Amino acid sequence: MQSVTKRNPVESDAGRGPGDGFDKLVLGTWMQCMEDYGQVWREDFGRTFFSQEYWYLFVVALVRHWHREPLNVGDARATMRTGSPKTRETRLKRLVDEGWFSKIKNESDLRVTYIVPTPALLALAQRHLSNSLARVTAGLAEANLVPGHRVTAVRGLSDDGRDVPRLLLAWAEFLVGYTNDWNETFRNRFHTEEYWYPFVHSLRADWSGEPLTMSEACSVMRTGSIRTGEARIALAATRGLLEKRKSETDHRKILILPTPLLEASLVEHFSRTLSQVLKLLDEHC
């Protein structure tokens, strides 16, 4: 594994390997924690909203609401990273129609309309943040990256839908930053719900000495058909991130391997974000 220079190194030496980076075992634990987070989101909000566009809109709107800086309609559309103006408006209308958001006029300027989370969304979001942070903290504690008392502290957080605890707000802000970091790492070309799984699973499989086959790489994706998965892998290969190679033991199988560029990019991304979440827990627990 290539050593990388992290912008936000942790102060502790726990889980560190030779050189500047976290070792593969620690990074693998953090990757699994973030995969678990994605699963919690899908369980809480459903497959329909398992996309980066909806995720950004939900979480950014919640953070802004808790800061008492509500999104206006234009800001809400802008949080979604892809789609035409009409597509973004359709998504927003759907969320209003289904009772996730309300539209409220600005009392001093009726030309401005705010998008405000409904009580139902606030309650669900707070439970989601509480449960997901508890699972992540427990995973980090099992790897001896955080002390056990922090697991207890996180589990004791209120999830009754009232004023959000500061730790949960910090967790929501971290998640936005995490996704921004992924997008910046891959220049907004390989979104999380489409490429996170094949990229991360191909790297971890390669580290374990059992690289993914083409069918396995497609099956780990959470959205799209097999044909869509193959097209995504082909695109990533043309950008120098994945490599297709025939198996030496079975030439009928095509293996999907991470390139050195993808490995270095993922190691840097996960090292940086792990440092950030450890700092968050240290400051708030």
Side-chain angles (χ1 to χ4, degrees):
M1 181 178 67
Q2 299 182 23
S3 175
V4 297
T5 301
K6 303 187 295 300
R7 291 181 290 212
N8 296 296
V10 291
E11 296 179 359
S12 171
D13 289 331
R16 303 293 288 277
D20 295 331
F22 292 103
D23 64 33
K24 293 179 180 179
L25 182 61
V26 168
L27 287 178
T29 296
W30 177 227
M31 292 172 189
Q32 186 61 53
C33 285
M34 292 312 294
E35 181 164 354
D36 290 345
Y37 171 78
Q39 181 60 30
V40 174
W41 175 269
R42 186 169 176 145
E43 291 170 359
D44 288 343
F45 287 88
R47 181 177 181 179
T48 299
F49 300 118
F50 190 75
S51 75
Q52 185 166 289
E53 291 77 16
Y54 280 118
W55 185 91
Y56 261 121
L57 180 56
F58 276 117
V59 180
V60 173
L62 289 162
V63 168
R64 290 281 294 271
H65 173 78
W66 286 323
H67 279 298
R68 292 178 169 79
E69 299 173 351
L71 292 174
N72 61 41
V73 171
D75 292 337
R77 293 190 192 118
T79 63
M80 294 178 265
R81 301 305 171 95
T82 64
S84 66
K86 184 177 181 180
T87 297
R88 299 184 193 207
E89 179 60 33
T90 299
R91 293 173 186 150
L92 192 56
K93 183 179 183 302
R94 175 182 188 177
L95 296 176
V96 172
D97 291 343
E98 294 186 7
W100 295 101
F101 290 98
S102 299
K103 287 186 176 182
I104 298 176
K105 289 287 186 182
N106 183 317
E107 294 180 358
S108 60
D109 186 349
L110 296 180
R111 296 171 299 178
V112 177
T113 301
Y114 293 118
I115 299 298
V116 179
T118 61
L121 175 55
L122 290 171
L124 175 58
Q126 194 157 323
R127 290 195 300 272
H128 166 74
L129 291 171
S130 180
N131 292 337
S132 60
L133 181 57
R135 286 180 63 168
V136 165
T137 307
L140 295 175
E142 288 179 5
N144 297 316
L145 289 169
V146 299
H149 70 82
R150 289 183 181 161
V151 177
T152 303
V154 170
R155 286 176 178 168
L157 291 174
S158 169
D159 63 354
D160 58 11
R162 292 179 290 192
D163 290 340
V164 64
R166 290 181 60 189
L167 176 55
L168 291 188
L169 177 55
W171 172 235
E173 291 172 331
F174 164 80
L175 290 169
V176 174
Y178 172 90
T179 308
N180 287 341
D181 192 289
W182 176 279
N183 289 337
E184 291 166 6
T185 297
F186 296 104
R187 299 181 182 180
N188 293 306
R189 293 176 177 170
F190 298 95
H191 295 302
T192 49
E193 79 276 6
E194 297 169 347
Y195 285 96
W196 195 98
Y197 296 94
F199 282 1
V200 173
H201 279 251
S202 69
L203 179 61
R204 295 186 68 183
D206 186 52
W207 281 354
S208 71
E210 298 180 357
L212 298 180
T213 64
M214 173 67 82
S215 61
E216 290 170 338
C218 291
S219 69
V220 301
M221 299 183 199
R222 296 300 191 269
T223 62
S225 64
I226 295 297
R227 180 174 294 181
T228 298
E230 292 175 348
R232 290 172 182 163
I233 290 171
L235 176 61
T238 63
R239 300 291 172 82
L241 297 172
L242 292 175
E243 176 187 354
K244 294 190 286 186
R245 183 188 305 169
K246 284 188 177 181
S247 169
E248 294 181 357
T249 58
D250 185 349
H251 289 178
R252 295 170 300 176
K253 290 184 178 179
I254 301 297
L255 304 180
I256 303 302
L257 302 165
T259 65
L261 174 61
L262 178 60
E263 180 176 14
S265 298
L266 289 177
V267 166
E268 183 175 358
H269 164 73
F270 283 104
S271 296
R272 185 165 52 245
T273 54
L274 175 56
S275 298
Q276 292 164 355
V277 80
L278 293 177
K279 182 179 178 181
L280 180 154
L281 291 170
D282 186 52
E283 290 178 348
H284 292 274
C285 287

